[in-house]
């Protein structure tokens, strides 16, 4: 891992690698778990590689055709740690809303 690999201090998991999710996954406001690739919790990902969003964000993303000011404003991306990311993924994978692109 490179020296400039960014870390985040998580109140639950300590100093960890970073990940980014929509605000709705953090607050459990909407369900579903979308990501640009099927991530694996046994691997270490480089900075900014772990990203996920909920069903409602995916609808806006499809309407907009890309991440832009509108879709990003709706998503309200939040920084979390990689352990929290995979916990969110696991919580959503048991539902019919789990999806990966």
């Amino acid at each position: 891992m490179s020296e400039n690999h960014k870390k985040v201090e998580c109140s639950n998991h300590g100093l960890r690698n970073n990940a980014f999710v929509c605000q709705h996954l953090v607050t459990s406001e909407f369900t579903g778990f979308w990501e640009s690739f099927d991530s694996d919790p046994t691997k270490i990902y480089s900075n900014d590689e772990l990203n996920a969003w909920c069903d409602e964000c995916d609808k806006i993303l499809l309407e907009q055709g890309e991440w832009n000011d509108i879709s990003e404003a709706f998503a309200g991306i939040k920084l979390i740690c990689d352990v929290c990311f995979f916990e969110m993924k696991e919580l959503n994978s048991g539902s019919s809303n789990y999806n990966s692109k």
Side-chain angles (χ1 to χ4, degrees), residues 18-75:
N18 66 23
F20 297 91
V21 297
C22 72
Q23 64 185 334
H24 311 114
L25 288 175
V26 173
T27 63
S28 299
E29 185 176 348
F30 300 119
T31 58
F33 192 91
W34 294 81
E35 53 186 345
S36 56
F37 64 94
D38 191 19
S39 58
D40 178 350
T42 65
K43 295 183 180 177
I44 296 175
Y45 293 94
S46 63
N47 196 33
D48 302 336
E49 217 174 355
L50 291 176
N51 300 278
W53 54 95
C54 70
D55 287 344
E56 292 302 311
C57 285
D58 198 62
K59 288 178 189 174
I60 300 294
L61 177 58
L62 291 173
E63 288 171 9
Q64 294 298 309
E66 65 183 353
W67 288 110
N68 59 26
D69 290 343
I70 295 169
S71 56
E72 288 177 15
F74 183 79

Side-chain angles (χ1 to χ4, degrees), residues 5 7-8 14 17 28-29 44 47 51 59 65 75 80 83 95:
H5 188 80
K7 301 277 186 177
V8 61
N17 293 328
S28 299
E29 185 176 348
I44 296 175
N47 196 33
N51 300 278
K59 288 178 189 174
I80 63 169
V83 176
S95 76

